[in-house]
Amino acid sequence: MPDLKFPAVLAACLLVGALARPAAASAAEAPVMLEQMTSTELRARIDGGATTAIIPIGGTEQSGPFIALGKHNVRAAVLARTIAQKLGNAVVAPVVAYVPEGSITPPAGHMKFAGTLSIPESTFEDLLFATGQSLRQHGFRHVVFIGDHGGYQKSETRVAQRLNKAWAKDGKAGALALLAYYDVTQEAYITDLEKRGYSKAEIGLHAGLADAALMLATDKSLVRTEALARGPAPTVNDGVRGDARRATAELGKLGVQRIVDTSVAAISAFAAHGAPSTLSKEPK
């Protein structure tokens, strides 16, 4: 009789391997968007070690004739998802789409252009505070704000400080205003683009090359590329500061990488060791 022990062992190993592979894939593909889970699924994630909740903040504002009004909301959601997936123990709360954009009557700033939505700063901060409190109530220990728009960065800081004060006796929870998420797009990413021959005027401050490139890299459907290619370049009177006509997804990926790497490093350090309520510089 032939010896069947080795084939039997081999078969058993192959079976174990086949069963393990789907499990590993399932772990890697675990949902991170809170809105896409049931309450039971979320509870299982928290009980299983998902201790970090990311609150992405967008804003509904004009970005000229070639970038859609939901730019900040979509971009914040896409980047928050990527950051959470890389962290492995994080969940992403719904995007905050209503933010302060200035005076409504008389209209100021972006409110001069159709589609911009603005709420009072105090209302915005109370909304963030209550959202953080809600997430803590459900068991998250690390609440992180990431804001895709420059106008409310100070509000993020104030709310993180309020939450940390409220949780001081808890000793097990903390909040972080991750200003570096935004700062890196205004510093390191701009330097990356300048090294490739793009001028500051072209890169722009709002709806210019940098802004459009980031959008192309996260959701190109929000950029009217055909109309943009036909020009002419929009001006300040169109709500634009910069020239997006040479923007590409490849350029945007440079910024995406900067944002994701910076955010993952900062949140990991915060969750592991604690950090100031505000982190505005790229971790070394």
Side-chain angles (χ1 to χ4, degrees):
M1 291 288 290
D3 186 355
L4 298 179
K5 291 182 180 179
F6 178 75
V9 171
L10 178 60
C13 289
L14 290 174
L15 177 60
V16 170
L19 293 173
R21 280 193 294 274
S26 297
E29 296 167 4
V32 298
M33 307 304 284
L34 182 147
E35 291 175 292
Q36 297 174 1
M37 303 180 208
T38 68
S39 179
T40 304
E41 290 167 345
L42 179 61
R43 171 51 53 201
R45 289 296 312 279
I46 297 170
D47 292 345
T51 59
T52 298
I54 299 172
I55 302 175
I57 310 167
T60 307
E61 68 172 26
Q62 71 84 25
S63 286
F66 303 130
I67 304 178
L69 289 154
K71 171 191 75 179
H72 285 305
N73 301 325
V74 172
R75 193 158 69 200
V78 170
L79 294 173
R81 180 190 292 113
T82 302
I83 292 165
Q85 288 170 336
K86 287 187 175 293
L87 287 168
N89 65 340
V91 168
V92 180
V95 174
V96 178
Y98 297 89
V99 308
E101 291 283 0
S103 172
I104 297 174
T105 306
H110 295 306
M111 277 302 302
K112 295 178 180 179
F113 300 89
T116 302
L117 304 177
S118 185
I119 65 172
E121 190 174 78
S122 59
T123 302
F124 173 67
E125 293 185 10
D126 286 344
L127 170 63
L128 295 185
F129 182 80
T131 303
Q133 290 279 60
S134 297
L135 292 165
R136 175 60 190 135
Q137 178 64 33
H138 298 315
F140 289 102
R141 291 191 284 115
H142 311 111
V143 173
V144 180
F145 297 108
I146 59 171
D148 205 67
H149 175 43
Y152 46 65
Q153 301 291 307
K154 291 182 179 179
S155 286
E156 290 179 57
T157 300
R158 285 192 289 266
V159 174
Q161 291 170 344
R162 282 176 62 189
L163 287 170
N164 284 326
K165 183 177 181 179
W167 297 339
K169 293 182 180 179
D170 186 325
K172 297 180 180 179
L176 173 68
L178 184 52
L179 306 189
Y181 168 98
Y182 179 78
D183 289 346
V184 74
T185 67
Q186 307 302 301
E187 299 169 1
Y189 179 43
I190 301 303
T191 300
D192 291 338
L193 294 174
E194 288 181 311
K195 287 179 179 178
R196 286 160 175 78
Y198 300 96
S199 69
K200 272 191 166 59
E202 186 177 14
I203 293 167
L205 298 174
H206 181 72
L209 182 138
D211 215 354
L214 285 171
M215 205 65 248
L216 288 169
T218 48
D219 189 341
K220 64 181 181 181
S221 71
L222 271 66
V223 182
R224 308 297 186 254
T225 51
E226 292 185 9
L228 183 61
R230 292 196 296 266
T235 68
V236 174
N237 292 332
D238 301 304
V240 175
R241 299 179 68 184
D243 187 347
R245 289 178 294 176
R246 293 202 291 165
T248 65
E250 288 67 31
L251 291 174
K253 289 175 183 177
L254 298 173
V256 168
Q257 194 67 51
R258 287 279 191 185
I259 294 168
V260 171
D261 288 349
T262 296
S263 299
V264 169
I267 295 171
S268 296
F270 170 62
H273 308 295
S277 59
T278 300
L279 184 58
S280 60
K281 294 300 179 183
E282 197 172 359
K284 296 180 179 179

